[in-house]
């Protein structure tokens, strides 16, 4: 563990940046949160439509 941190710290010192991409989970995007809030409102009003589908088994 200490070797991994040492490598990380040296690389960060050389490059003057975090040596990997930092990204946000798209599930929490504004558009998806808006969609989920609309679905929840529809559920609470009893207007939510359900669709059946077959499960995919591998």
């Amino acid at each position: 563990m200490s070797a991994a941190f040492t490598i990380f710290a040296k690389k960060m010192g050389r490059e003057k940046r975090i040596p990997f991409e930092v990204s946000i989970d798209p599930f929490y995007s504004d558009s998806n949160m808006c969609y989920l809030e609309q679905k929840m409102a529809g559920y609470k009003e009893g207007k939510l439509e359900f669709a059946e589908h077959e499960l995919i088994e591998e």
Side-chain angles (χ1 to χ4, degrees):
M1 184 65 120
S2 65
F5 181 76
T6 302
I7 293 168
F8 169 78
K10 285 182 179 182
K11 187 166 178 82
M12 199 167 89
R14 277 193 310 270
E15 297 181 7
K16 306 283 191 253
R17 66 178 190 88
I18 298 173
F20 52 83
E21 258 326 289
V22 178
S23 62
I24 297 173
D25 185 351
F27 180 82
Y28 297 103
S29 68
D30 290 339
S31 61
N32 194 45
M33 295 307 291
C34 182
Y35 173 79
L36 293 172
E37 288 170 357
Q38 289 173 351
K39 290 296 180 182
M40 182 56 79
Y43 170 76
K44 289 179 179 178
E45 294 172 5
K47 298 178 181 178
L48 189 63
E49 295 179 18
F50 294 98
E52 290 187 33
H53 61 85
E54 292 182 27
L55 295 176
I56 301 172
E57 295 185 24
E58 294 180 17

